[in-house]
Amino acid sequence: MSRLPFYLIVGLLLLVGIAASVHRHVQFEIPWLPGEQRQVWEIEAVINFNAQDGPVQVDLALPSHQAGYRVLTENTASSGYGLAYKADELGRQAEWTIRNAAGSQQLYYSVQMLVSPDARSPVQTPPELSTVPPWESPYDTAASQLIDRAWARSANNATFARELILDINGERQGENARLLLAQEQPSPLIVRLLNQAGVHAREVSGLLMEDGRRRQTLSSWIQVFDESAETWTLFNPTTGEQGKPDNLLLWETGGRAVLEVQGGTNSRVTFSMLTHYQPASAAVRNHYSDDTLLNFSIHSLPLEEQALFQTILLIPIGALVVVFLRVLVGVKTSGTFMPVLIALAFIQTTLLTGLIGFLLIVAMGLIIRNYLSYLNLLLVARVSVVIITVIAIISIFTVIAYRMGLSSGLTVTFFPMIILAWTIERMSILWEEEGPKQVLIQGGGSLLTAVLAFLAMNNPWVRHITFNFLGVQFILMALILLLGNYTGYRLLELRRFKPITDEEKSS
């Protein structure tokens, strides 16, 4: 029979597993190694205003994912206020409401922003050009002359915006610019002139990130839509510099007010910020919960279930170790995957405590099982008695360890009792049929396999990879299928050919 379908399945599993893992690493910035650190900014916005003894509604623009930054977590503190988050094509907002408020009011909003070089802003289409109110004379002439002069020295929307900014705020500032600046602030004036020339532009607000700064305010920036590149380009409205500084966080990008208060006066918002580093797995945990078809993960589950799956996902690693040792090396074990379950118990008990507990329980169980063999009981009854015996032995050891102050001895309860009972039963039958030598060979092989599986499963890198990259399960399945296709000699079987090699050497 052709083995082509088999190898196609193995190749498909490897391809899917590798592609899924690489996609999660690249797209969602999940690190390959545990312990990687990521920079996180904590920003707190404080809103102050005076309520007018009536209903109040406060709208605050909120930051979104953008180039260089991702939103991690956000919280608010607003005693007595209702809170709702709103989102539309212009961006996100937080809306606080209260039926009656009077006097000085203070609202808090805090957000954690992850520094992410691979982060990108969502795709945005240029809005419709806003209706530009007509200028009165002589301002209309000044505006037209500024537009015509900058337009003649530009090649596209971006260079046109740069030239216009330099004519208004730069060294080339002339009488026309000073005349218009007497009527309007620089940033709104530049946006108005750009819109008048048919260029999509808007004023946005950004926060310059500096560690430990307090009571900072937002600065104005100008975004211009470059139709040739179909992207928004950011400009400094004072210097005309093009591009987004690395330490600039765009807070509001819809061209509307950052803070709006209805029912209050003297409103203002200030910002405080600090930065710190934290493990990458914790820094991007909120993205894990945003599961899609390509970002399927365990992190959307409650923490209790996550802890359970963190252990369950290690079982294929132990299975791979068992298959390798049995198929390629030729190690004999008592039961096929009993060593994997024992290795799981070692993870809970630590290796030394687990080894001592395992040997004591099996030794005591074999002694009692030897006595049961003289009673000629039926198999079901005998195994049931062995299970009860194992439970009793574990209970006794646990109580003794507690009385002696050995807290590590309490963890022997993590041993799989049913598996231990069947292990004792099989070893006892093997002792009766083939003697104690085979019991030592299979028991020692099981213990060696369990220890090696424990070392593989308890490795921090392995635990990190199996939990965060579910595609690894497909890779493990492909490797086990390949090992299962092996039909050659096992390494331990090569000892049979040692006499032949000795004879060839002597001859």
Side-chain angles (χ1 to χ4, degrees):
M1 183 180 295
S2 173
R3 303 294 292 174
L4 180 60
F6 171 78
Y7 290 113
L8 287 177
I9 292 174
V10 171
L12 180 62
L13 289 173
L14 287 173
L15 182 62
V16 171
I18 294 174
S21 301
V22 172
H23 178 267
R24 283 181 61 77
H25 171 71
V26 174
Q27 186 68 25
F28 302 100
E29 303 181 29
I30 302 173
W32 292 119
L33 299 176
E36 291 188 20
Q37 300 287 312
R38 296 288 176 87
Q39 185 181 9
V40 176
W41 283 93
E42 293 193 12
I43 306 166
E44 182 182 72
V46 182
I47 303 171
N48 292 280
F49 64 95
N50 293 320
Q52 297 177 314
D53 196 14
V56 174
Q57 177 177 326
V58 179
D59 293 318
L60 175 68
L62 304 181
S64 303
H65 300 318
Q66 56 190 271
Y69 296 94
R70 291 186 189 273
V71 178
L72 288 184
T73 60
E74 50 188 355
N75 299 283
T76 62
S78 49
S79 178
Y81 280 80
L83 174 66
Y85 291 99
K86 302 185 299 182
D88 54 28
E89 65 278 1
L90 296 180
R92 301 169 58 240
Q93 279 187 314
E95 180 184 85
W96 287 272
T97 55
I98 193 171
R99 179 63 65 176
N100 185 48
S104 178
Q105 304 290 307
Q106 199 168 55
L107 306 177
Y108 292 88
Y109 168 81
S110 63
V111 62
Q112 285 189 333
M113 302 295 296
L114 170 67
V115 177
S116 174
D118 297 329
R120 293 292 179 266
S121 302
V123 178
Q124 296 182 358
T125 56
E128 295 294 332
L129 281 173
S130 57
T131 303
V132 180
W135 294 96
E136 297 180 357
S137 181
Y139 305 108
D140 55 347
T141 304
S144 298
Q145 291 178 357
L146 277 173
I147 293 173
D148 293 340
R149 182 181 179 187
W151 187 271
R153 294 197 304 267
S154 65
N156 51 38
N157 290 348
T159 55
F160 172 60
R162 182 195 64 202
E163 294 299 321
L164 189 60
I165 293 172
L166 293 177
D167 284 342
I168 292 177
N169 287 327
E171 295 179 355
R172 301 198 303 256
Q173 186 186 74
E175 292 295 331
N176 290 329
R178 286 191 286 271
L179 178 64
L180 294 176
L181 286 173
Q183 299 294 317
E184 202 160 355
Q185 294 296 318
S187 293
L189 173 61
I190 295 170
V191 172
R192 182 175 179 179
L193 292 176
L194 288 170
N195 289 333
Q196 182 176 338
V199 175
H200 294 282
R202 61 192 180 190
E203 183 182 7
V204 298
S205 299
L207 183 65
L208 291 172
M209 312 290 277
E210 297 182 42
D211 189 22
R213 298 301 298 269
R214 301 171 61 245
R215 298 178 182 175
Q216 301 299 297
T217 58
L218 298 178
S219 55
S220 294
W221 298 76
I222 293 175
Q223 277 188 334
V224 176
F225 189 77
D226 190 347
E227 294 182 352
S228 60
E230 295 186 351
T231 57
W232 286 97
T233 303
L234 192 70
F235 287 89
N236 187 320
T238 303
T239 64
E241 293 182 5
Q242 180 178 342
K244 179 175 177 289
D246 293 336
N247 66 332
L248 177 65
L249 172 68
L250 294 180
W251 193 271
E252 195 283 321
T253 58
R256 57 189 175 190
V258 174
L259 176 64
E260 292 182 339
V261 177
Q262 301 177 27
T265 58
N266 299 324
S267 61
R268 65 188 183 279
V269 56
T270 57
F271 301 85
S272 302
M273 66 205 80
L274 58 87
T275 184
H276 66 275
Y277 289 82
Q278 66 184 62
S281 57
V284 298
R285 183 171 296 157
N286 73 305
H287 300 299
Y288 295 154
S289 61
D290 297 334
D291 288 336
T292 63
L293 182 61
L294 297 178
N295 187 30
F296 183 80
S297 72
I298 302 299
H299 294 80
S300 58
L301 297 175
L303 290 179
E304 184 177 355
E305 280 69 22
Q306 288 188 38
L308 176 62
F309 271 98
Q310 190 172 31
T311 302
I312 291 176
L313 292 173
L314 293 173
I315 294 178
I317 298 292
L320 179 63
V321 173
V322 172
V323 172
F324 175 82
L325 293 177
R326 286 178 64 96
V327 173
L328 293 184
V329 181
V331 176
K332 294 182 178 180
T333 61
S334 178
T336 306
F337 291 103
M338 182 271 287
V340 179
L341 300 178
I342 299 301
L344 286 176
F346 287 167
I347 292 177
Q348 304 294 332
T349 63
T350 70
L351 183 59
L352 180 60
T353 303
L355 285 173
I356 295 174
F358 177 79
L359 293 174
L360 289 175
I361 293 171
V362 172
M364 292 292 296
L366 285 175
I367 294 174
I368 296 175
R369 171 60 179 79
N370 183 54
Y371 169 75
L372 293 176
S373 62
Y374 294 104
L375 301 180
N376 296 324
L377 298 176
L378 296 174
L379 176 62
V380 176
R382 187 171 65 241
V383 173
S384 300
V385 173
V386 173
I387 292 174
I388 297 174
T389 302
V390 169
I391 295 174
I393 294 172
I394 292 177
S395 302
I396 292 172
F397 285 163
T398 303
V399 173
I400 293 175
Y402 177 73
R403 292 292 179 87
M404 296 177 62
L406 302 175
S407 58
S408 59
L410 302 177
T411 58
V412 296
T413 55
F414 288 105
F415 278 110
M417 300 177 186
I418 306 298
I419 299 300
L420 285 178
W422 274 107
T423 300
I424 294 170
E425 175 68 19
R426 297 179 67 167
M427 285 186 175
S428 179
I429 295 175
L430 187 64
W431 190 306
E432 295 172 356
E433 295 179 351
E434 301 187 29
K437 181 179 179 180
Q438 286 298 319
V439 173
L440 292 177
I441 291 176
Q442 293 193 17
S446 299
L447 205 56
L448 174 64
T449 304
V451 170
L452 293 178
F454 162 79
L455 294 177
M457 297 162 64
N458 202 45
N459 182 278
W461 183 79
V462 172
R463 296 173 70 93
H464 172 80
I465 288 293
T466 55
F467 185 60
N468 293 290
F469 299 92
L470 295 184
V472 172
Q473 305 300 320
F474 293 103
I475 299 175
L476 294 174
M477 186 184 300
L479 295 177
I480 291 174
L481 286 175
L482 288 175
L483 289 174
N485 196 43
Y486 178 75
T487 56
Y489 288 106
R490 295 169 174 83
L491 294 179
L492 295 180
E493 292 178 342
L494 298 180
R495 293 178 302 174
R496 296 184 300 172
F497 301 98
K498 191 175 185 299
I500 299 176
T501 58
D502 292 340
E503 290 179 2
E504 291 178 353
K505 290 179 181 180
S506 60
S507 61

